[in-house]
């Protein structure tokens, strides 16, 4: 039974019969999906200390309690309305925002919402086996927090589909539960969401880099002229921040431990013999997840992106910081491959909106990597981690048919095939990581050997708090 008590919301669910009916059909399928495709081995007998959003004010979404995961209260929230909000960019600049979907933009908006929605359950599916290899109860709890909130983000997109897109919206909402990460016949829409995440270095890199793409895409959707989409994504951003915290501090704690082990090994790079994760391996995972997440921003030159911008559907991150919101006369300089070399070209800026967003994203990632380098500096080490060149290992966009090394130097097919193992995780690297993660750490306050404890616990709880407990 659908009830406002079980589904915390600020969208008037108790008086919205249409939404109730749609959810009555969809919610049981969602729970079934969560049980089948969500965290494996932690559905029945575990209580997890998680945060549940019960309202949009800070006190409301910082509500912590022990929950049995399938009983988590996935809610539906819109950020508070902005009075007299006006369209902030594109051809309709200055007009009032839309409370309903204009017929002529219905397909484009549905496509954006479905693409966004598809990533949320995909990430839960990708991470579903990680609990069996967790480095601590603290990390296990963080994994589940991320998972339930990705589930809530799916609810947010399904709310929009059910409320504004009629029959097609209901069909799309079902399809969101039918596609599966990595499934050959029914894969998830975007490539990075079909990659396996079977170890915790992958998970932390994913939450650092791929969730940060979530941040850039949500920032741009929160500028949308469709006000309910803007308000939904604005609230999602508050949760996204915690996911990136998990990623950045997770990798940071691995680096911290690696530094300790390097000292212990007499400043040797080879910390594997002490069971640690060496810096070259960490660099390879940065190279992988950064390049996969660059792909998530779409083609460098994109008429889709130009149309989204022109129609006011998807803006730039922090659109108010730009001085020109029409962008009809501006150009963007880009290195374009031509006849086997790169040629600088000026392209109309509206068609470069994916690249403009990617610029914002690269800057945000760069700041995070610099914070990691501070750890190395603090330990007196000369090694530094870095982002690879944007052209490296691309699967989408104009560099995808070419090869480049992490410095952006072009390589032929043969050199790429021979050398890519130097820059990307090899099967042997993955095997090594699985070997040090084979035994999960479930004892409160204990941490796997390859990762340092966090500085503090969650919600002012001690680090040795029993963040996940078993109830038989
Ligand atoms: N993989 O003109 P283009 C998150 C396709 S993450 C496969 O550049 P557009 C999260 C494209 O569909 C954020 N295919 O496309 C993070 C198109 O196909 P068709 C998710 C790709 O539309 C962690 C063709 O290539 N949010 O929230 O400008 C955990 C032409 O490309 C890919 C969104 O994505 C790819 N990577 O740009 C949980 C926001 N890229 O039509 C959650 C909504 C492109 O030719 N989506 N293609 O068959 C969008 O804004 C756009 O769809 C994209 C693509 C930016 C993704």
């Amino acid at each position: 039974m659908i009830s406002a008590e079980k589904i915390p919301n600020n969208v008037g669910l108790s008086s919205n019969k249409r939404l109730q009916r749609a959810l009555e059909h969809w919610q049981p399928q969602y729970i079934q999906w969560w049980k089948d495709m969500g965290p494996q081995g932690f559905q029945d007998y575990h209580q997890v200390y998680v945060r549940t959003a019960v309202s949009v004010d800070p006190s409301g979404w910082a509500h912590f309690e022990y929950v049995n995961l399938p009983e988590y209260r996935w809610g539906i929230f819109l950020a508070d309305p902005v009075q007299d909000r006006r369209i902030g960019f594109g051809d309709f600049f200055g007009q009032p925002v839309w409370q309903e979907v204009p017929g002529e933009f219905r397909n484009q908006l549905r496509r954006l919402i479905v693409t966004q929605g598809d990533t949320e359950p995909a990430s839960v599916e990708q991470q579903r086996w990680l609990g069996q290899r967790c480095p601590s109860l603290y990390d296990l709890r963080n994994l589940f927090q991320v998972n339930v909130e990705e589930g809530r983000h799916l609810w947010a997109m399904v709310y929009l589909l059910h409320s504004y897109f009629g029959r097609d919206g209901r069909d799309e909402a079902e399809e969101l539960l039918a596609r599966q990460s990595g499934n050959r016949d029914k894969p998830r829409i975007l490539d990075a969401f079909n990659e396996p995440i079977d170890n915790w270095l992958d998970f932390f890199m994913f939450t650092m880099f791929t969730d940060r793409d979530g941040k850039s895409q949500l920032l741009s959707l929160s500028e949308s002229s469709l006000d309910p989409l803007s308000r939904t994504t604005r609230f999602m951003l508050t949760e996204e921040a915690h996911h990136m915290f998990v990623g950045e501090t997770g990798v940071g704690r691995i680096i911290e431990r690696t530094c300790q082990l390097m000292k212990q090994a007499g400043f040797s790079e080879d910390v594997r013999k002490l069971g640690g994760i060496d810096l070259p391996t960490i660099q390879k995972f940065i190279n992988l997840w950064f390049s996969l997440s660059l792909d998530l921003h779409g083609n460098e030159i994109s008429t889709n992106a130009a149309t989204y911008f022109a129609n006011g559907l998807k803006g730039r991150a922090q659109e108010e910081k730009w001085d020109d919101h029409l962008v009809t006369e501006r150009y963007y300089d880009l290195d374009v491959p031509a006849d086997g070399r790169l040629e600088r070209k000026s392209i109309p800026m509206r068609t470069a909106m994916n690249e403009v967003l990617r610029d914002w994203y690269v800057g945000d990632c760069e700041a995070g990597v610099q914070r990691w380098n501070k750890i190395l500096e603090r330990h007196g080490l000369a090694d530094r981690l870095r982002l690879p060149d944007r052209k490296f290992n691309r699967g989408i966009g104009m560099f995808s048919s070419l090869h480049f090394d992490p410095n952006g130097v072009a390589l032929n097919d043969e050199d790429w095939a021979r050398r890519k193992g130097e820059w990307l995780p090899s099967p042997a690297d993955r095997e090594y990581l699985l070997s040090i993660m084979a035994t999960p750490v479930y004892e409160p306050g204990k941490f796997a050997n390859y990762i340092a404890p966090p500085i503090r616990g969650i919600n002012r709880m001690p680090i040795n708090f029993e963040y996940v407990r078993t109830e038989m």
Side-chain angles (χ1 to χ4, degrees):
M1 227 355 236
I2 293 299
S3 78
E5 192 197 313
K6 284 210 175 132
I7 303 175
N9 72 91
N10 67 354
V11 296
L13 178 61
S14 54
S15 56
N16 187 339
K17 289 276 170 280
R18 194 169 60 148
L19 181 58
Q20 279 180 23
R21 265 200 306 278
L23 281 180
E24 252 155 42
H25 193 65
W26 186 80
Q27 195 250 16
Q29 295 178 33
Y30 170 81
I31 297 296
Q32 194 55 50
W33 165 82
W34 176 269
K35 288 185 175 165
D36 294 343
M37 299 304 292
Q40 298 297 299
F42 294 90
Q43 301 272 352
D44 299 323
Y45 306 113
H46 291 81
Q47 297 277 331
V48 187
Y49 186 70
V50 280
R51 174 177 81 176
T52 306
V54 291
S55 75
V56 291
D57 53 80
S59 63
W61 63 272
H63 176 84
F64 286 83
E65 61 190 347
Y66 275 108
V67 173
N68 170 238
L69 290 180
E71 283 158 27
Y72 185 79
R73 288 181 299 152
W74 284 281
I76 306 173
F77 291 103
L78 305 182
D80 289 335
V82 174
Q83 238 192 344
D84 191 33
R85 183 171 169 250
R86 303 264 152 176
I87 295 175
F89 61 92
D91 294 346
F92 307 107
F93 179 72
Q95 296 181 14
V97 290
W98 315 317
Q99 298 306 330
E100 290 294 332
V101 175
E104 64 271 41
F105 304 136
R106 195 181 158 90
N107 286 348
Q108 289 171 35
L109 278 164
R110 193 184 58 211
R111 181 188 152 112
L112 283 172
I113 292 167
V114 165
T115 309
Q116 176 65 47
D118 190 70
T119 63
E120 316 290 0
S123 67
V124 176
E125 293 167 355
Q126 284 171 296
Q127 297 161 14
R128 70 186 190 279
W129 293 105
L130 285 175
Q132 321 268 350
R133 306 186 177 122
C134 72
S136 73
L137 283 188
Y138 166 90
D139 291 292
L140 187 63
R141 175 259 166 226
N142 282 350
L143 165 71
F144 295 153
Q145 181 72 58
V146 169
N147 291 162
V148 290
E149 284 175 353
E150 300 302 5
R152 206 200 67 72
H153 292 180
L154 169 62
W155 276 71
M157 293 302 113
V158 164
Y159 160 74
L160 294 174
L161 290 169
H162 280 164
S163 301
Y164 298 95
F165 293 89
R167 175 80 208 244
D168 320 348
R170 289 196 296 279
D171 290 348
E172 293 283 11
E174 291 195 11
E175 283 296 302
L176 286 170
L177 297 175
R179 282 184 291 270
Q180 273 177 14
S181 176
N183 185 308
R184 220 175 314 152
D185 302 324
K186 260 186 169 281
R188 290 297 176 182
I189 296 171
L190 299 174
D191 295 340
F193 293 88
N194 289 304
E195 293 286 318
I197 299 185
D198 53 12
N199 71 68
W200 281 74
L201 188 55
D202 273 325
F203 171 66
F204 290 135
M205 292 294 178
F206 178 92
T207 38
M208 169 74 179
F209 291 112
T210 308
D211 275 273
R212 199 171 301 274
D213 167 54
K215 180 179 169 188
S216 54
Q217 300 297 339
L218 291 175
L219 277 172
S220 74
L221 291 174
S222 70
E223 301 291 338
S224 182
S225 311
L226 179 62
D227 204 40
L229 174 60
S230 162
R231 291 175 58 197
T232 309
T233 46
R234 244 190 304 140
F235 183 62
M236 288 161 74
L237 278 163
T238 55
E239 291 163 325
E240 206 66 42
H242 176 69
H243 304 183
M244 284 174 297
F245 162 85
V246 169
E248 187 176 325
T249 57
V251 176
R253 288 161 49 219
I254 290 178
I255 297 170
E256 175 70 34
R257 183 65 184 141
T258 299
C259 291
Q260 294 168 3
L261 292 171
M262 280 171 81
K263 275 191 205 163
Q264 213 171 302
F267 288 96
S268 156
E269 287 275 331
D270 184 13
V271 294
R272 286 197 185 187
K273 54 179 188 278
L274 295 177
I277 305 178
D278 49 296
L279 292 177
T281 300
I282 295 174
Q283 181 64 59
K284 285 181 181 180
F285 278 80
I286 293 176
N287 295 346
L288 175 67
W289 284 104
F290 177 67
S291 54
L292 284 171
S293 307
L294 285 177
D295 280 345
L296 291 173
H297 291 74
N299 280 282
E300 287 79 8
I301 305 174
S302 163
T303 49
N304 284 347
T307 313
Y308 296 150
F309 187 86
N311 296 339
L313 311 184
K314 193 180 168 200
R316 289 167 289 190
Q318 298 153 330
E319 183 63 45
E320 77 285 355
K321 292 197 176 155
W322 296 83
D323 54 8
D324 171 10
H325 301 292
L326 302 183
V327 200
T328 44
E329 312 283 319
R330 299 262 171 126
Y331 286 81
Y332 186 95
D333 289 341
L334 197 64
D335 286 334
V336 177
D339 302 330
R341 48 191 192 81
L342 298 179
E343 207 173 277
R344 199 91 181 139
K345 279 201 175 148
S346 279
I347 59 160
M349 193 146 177
R350 280 190 176 188
T351 59
M353 284 306 172
N354 286 342
E355 193 63 6
V356 171
L357 194 58
R358 195 161 16 234
D359 286 339
W360 179 90
Y361 172 77
V362 172
D364 213 46
C365 290
E366 184 61 45
V369 173
Q370 290 320 323
R371 288 190 289 273
W372 289 339
N373 280 332
K374 288 261 182 303
I375 304 172
L376 297 170
E377 214 177 302
R378 186 159 41 76
H379 281 271
L381 296 175
D383 310 71
R384 293 293 176 265
L385 296 163
R386 65 191 188 96
L387 296 177
D389 187 271
R390 289 184 196 211
K391 300 188 283 302
F392 172 77
N393 192 39
R394 293 294 300 280
I396 294 283
M398 61 191 183
F399 303 116
S400 59
S401 55
L402 303 168
H403 298 302
F404 297 87
D405 74 9
N407 293 319
V409 176
L411 297 173
N412 61 32
D413 292 357
E414 205 180 300
D415 285 343
W416 170 254
R418 194 165 44 84
R419 299 193 58 195
K420 69 177 180 196
E422 291 172 36
W423 306 310
L424 292 168
S426 64
D429 294 327
R430 293 192 168 281
E431 227 168 88
Y432 173 69
L433 291 178
L434 287 180
S435 76
I436 58 171
M437 296 177 192
T439 311
V441 180
Y442 294 140
E443 200 180 320
K446 287 266 184 307
F447 289 81
N449 176 50
Y450 62 85
I451 190 165
I455 292 169
R456 60 183 74 84
I458 293 293
N459 193 32
R460 300 205 193 93
M461 292 300 172
I463 291 171
N464 64 2
F465 182 67
E466 196 173 9
Y467 289 102
V468 180
R469 63 184 189 205
T470 318
E471 281 193 352
M472 298 306 262

